[in-house]
Amino acid sequence: MYKIPLSKPDITQKEINAVSEVLKTSYLSLGKKYKEFEKIVAQFAKVKYAVAVNSGTSGLHLIIKALGIKNGDEVITTPFSFIASSNCILYEGAKPVFVDIDEKTFNIDVSKIEEKITSKTKAILAVDVFSQPADWEKLKEIAQKHNLFLIEDSAEALGSEYNGKKCGSFGDAAVFAFYPNKQITTGEGGIILTDNKDIADFCKSSANQGRAEENGKWLEHVRLGYNYRIDEMSCALGIAQMKRIKEILKKRANVAKLYSKKLKEIKDVETPYIEGQNKLSWFVYVVKLSEDLAGNKRDQIIKKMAERGVQCGNYFQTIHLQPFYKKEFGYKEGDFPVAENVSKRTLALPFYSNLKEKEINFAVKNLKEVIGEIK
Ligand SMILES: Cc1ncc(COP(=O)(O)O)c(C=O)c1O
């Protein structure tokens, strides 16, 4: 048991009551909560349609299918992300084509995209990594110029803003994810966001075994579908969390602010960068260590922090250097040098909305001591 875990959901009596109420009804799936959850998230992100599913990964898979991306197609994406943002492309037999990242934002480097576009390229899938919005204006411009779809993996960015507009509202379709380490949780869960009715209808039907959208017969299946449905308890939890979203995001911003202030005294630690007018919803709090603490030393820091009761993480290992990707596609060290360098130097500190100031002090004090020991 850690004294301070890496993350923790923010669950109050309101959430407990909301889930309990569902259990007192006979509707544990495909009921009112499902529709209400979709509505509340669509309104929040200011998009026309939302389709709730059982994970962010399922949502990404359905978007790839809805856009008709298939075997032989290429999708441009980032190697610095959680593996699902690339795996969803492989599910349909298409090829993820990685583009290195920007060393400050950790997001796809838009200046390197066009050189990777070929006649097979169908889409760009960009990620708002660690809740930092990708450069959506530039991404839209490139996508329009080359007639490509734009997919937004906003799994980590519910509530983030780019030029005053919510993440999840850029591109042809987007996802949020609700695993318990996210800004809000449904236990497991995700949601697809789009302004395009055809995409929304396709995703809704595909998530429900390919049943026809409205008025379809229960045992009539009009397309290849999946069971990617989210249950009513999860949706009730999600609604209760969304009703508290302002409070949750405020608390997270406050924790981030305290960390950034207190970490100033450690010269080997770079606090998170915020690009331009971006507003971050703070999925995690990830610092970048100095070059001489990269790799093994960073890993030793994580181990020593754990021994002191403070759980830290090595977000993210690059996707192209994951064992499966190396074996399957022959990627090697040096293929995406910026992402690899960032990946060896980043350290996620314990971060959640109810993290107390004295716990932040404890984490920072220990980090300072551990870095001192390792240097
Ligand atoms: C960038 C990114 N994409 C996709 C996902 C997948 O979401 P889920 O875990 O709900 O399948 C995650 C989840 O952590 C993520 O961080």
Side-chain angles (χ1 to χ4, degrees):
M1 267 297 274
Y2 292 98
K3 276 192 209 123
I4 312 179
L6 188 54
S7 80
K8 214 195 255 189
D10 183 347
I11 303 294
T12 67
Q13 194 59 42
K14 287 182 185 156
E15 282 82 355
I16 296 169
N17 292 346
V19 175
S20 303
E21 284 310 311
V22 173
L23 292 170
K24 291 177 197 159
T25 72
S26 314
Y27 295 97
L28 305 189
S29 186
L30 294 174
K32 281 190 200 144
K33 298 292 168 193
Y34 169 53
K35 291 204 170 114
E36 193 184 333
F37 183 49
E38 289 177 341
K39 197 166 156 204
I40 200 168
V41 179
Q43 278 173 352
F44 177 80
K46 296 200 170 64
V47 296
K48 284 192 189 145
Y49 309 100
V51 179
V53 286
N54 59 359
S55 74
T57 308
S58 311
L60 286 169
H61 180 200
L62 294 185
I63 291 173
I64 294 287
K65 279 205 74 152
L67 297 177
I69 294 166
K70 56 182 190 316
N71 202 355
D73 293 341
E74 293 178 356
V75 178
I76 288 177
T77 191
T78 169
F80 190 71
S81 175
F82 182 66
I83 196 151
S85 62
S86 175
N87 279 353
C88 66
I89 300 163
L90 296 179
Y91 295 158
E92 289 306 308
K95 186 179 169 209
V97 174
F98 296 117
V99 167
D100 212 343
I101 59 165
D102 177 273
E103 64 176 346
K104 286 209 229 123
T105 64
F106 306 162
N107 278 323
I108 193 164
D109 184 341
V110 287
S111 72
K112 293 181 180 152
I113 291 179
E114 283 191 291
E115 65 202 55
K116 293 285 183 80
I117 295 175
T118 70
S119 57
K120 294 179 180 168
T121 312
K122 287 286 169 335
I124 302 171
L125 188 158
V127 179
D128 299 312
V129 82
F130 302 155
S131 76
Q132 173 96 246
D135 188 351
W136 291 106
E137 207 169 299
K138 189 71 195 163
L139 286 163
K140 266 190 167 169
E141 198 185 301
I142 299 170
Q144 267 163 15
K145 182 172 158 199
H146 296 273
N147 203 16
L148 305 174
F149 293 119
L150 189 54
I151 304 167
E152 180 173 13
D153 181 346
S154 202
E156 303 179 358
L158 174 87
S160 286
E161 288 176 19
Y162 172 89
N163 285 347
K165 198 167 177 271
K166 288 263 175 2
C167 283
S169 65
F170 302 98
D172 295 282
V175 294
F176 292 140
F178 305 121
Y179 186 74
N181 64 349
K182 297 294 189 302
Q183 290 88 342
I184 71 148
T185 188
T186 56
E188 295 286 355
I191 205 160
I192 298 157
L193 304 146
T194 182
D195 283 332
N196 181 317
K197 188 168 187 308
D198 292 339
I199 294 177
D201 287 349
F202 178 92
C203 291
K204 187 138 241 185
S205 163
S206 303
N208 187 17
Q209 303 282 18
R211 292 184 167 99
E213 176 36 11
E214 297 291 342
N215 308 321
K217 294 188 198 114
W218 185 246
L219 285 177
E220 188 170 83
H221 305 271
V222 295
R223 57 172 61 79
L224 174 65
Y226 306 83
N227 182 355
Y228 285 171
R229 293 188 304 256
I230 185 168
D231 62 67
E232 288 288 282
M233 289 74 75
S234 302
C235 291
L237 175 53
I239 295 163
Q241 293 258 279
M242 281 306 290
K243 285 185 177 162
R244 296 178 49 234
I245 187 74
K246 266 197 178 159
E247 171 207 331
I248 290 174
L249 294 183
K250 205 169 151 196
K251 287 201 263 182
R252 295 180 91 85
N254 195 40
V255 172
K257 203 167 136 197
L258 282 173
Y259 258 132
S260 293
K261 194 171 132 207
K262 291 168 196 284
L263 284 166
K264 276 206 186 104
E265 57 174 289
I266 314 182
K267 73 168 180 27
D268 302 284
V269 165
E270 253 176 63
T271 54
Y273 171 79
I274 301 172
E275 174 79 17
Q277 298 305 307
N278 284 355
K279 195 176 141 207
L280 271 63
S281 60
W282 298 102
F283 161 50
V284 281
Y285 189 90
V286 175
V287 297
K288 190 160 135 192
L289 301 170
S290 53
E291 191 76 57
D292 58 334
L293 290 172
N296 281 342
K297 287 201 172 155
R298 188 271 317 268
D299 296 342
Q300 276 179 47
I301 293 174
I302 295 175
K303 195 160 163 270
K304 280 182 178 280
M305 289 292 277
E307 285 162 10
R308 290 163 178 246
V310 184
Q311 189 181 21
C312 297
N314 63 342
Y315 297 160
F316 276 120
Q317 296 185 61
T318 58
I319 297 177
H320 69 287
L321 295 181
Q322 292 287 350
F324 165 65
Y325 278 74
K326 283 206 282 191
K327 194 165 133 240
E328 193 75 14
F329 305 105
Y331 288 117
K332 54 186 186 326
E333 292 236 8
D335 284 344
F336 302 99
V338 182
E340 288 166 32
N341 182 268
V342 167
S343 163
K344 286 182 187 142
R345 291 168 59 186
T346 38
L347 176 80
L349 291 169
F351 188 80
Y352 41 92
S353 46
N354 289 320
L355 192 64
K356 297 192 182 62
E357 185 162 3
K358 68 173 197 290
E359 293 167 324
I360 297 171
N361 290 340
F362 185 77
V364 172
K365 171 181 154 286
N366 278 287
L367 182 62
K368 194 174 176 186
E369 286 172 11
V370 163
I371 289 178
E373 273 176 27
I374 280 175
K375 278 202 107 176

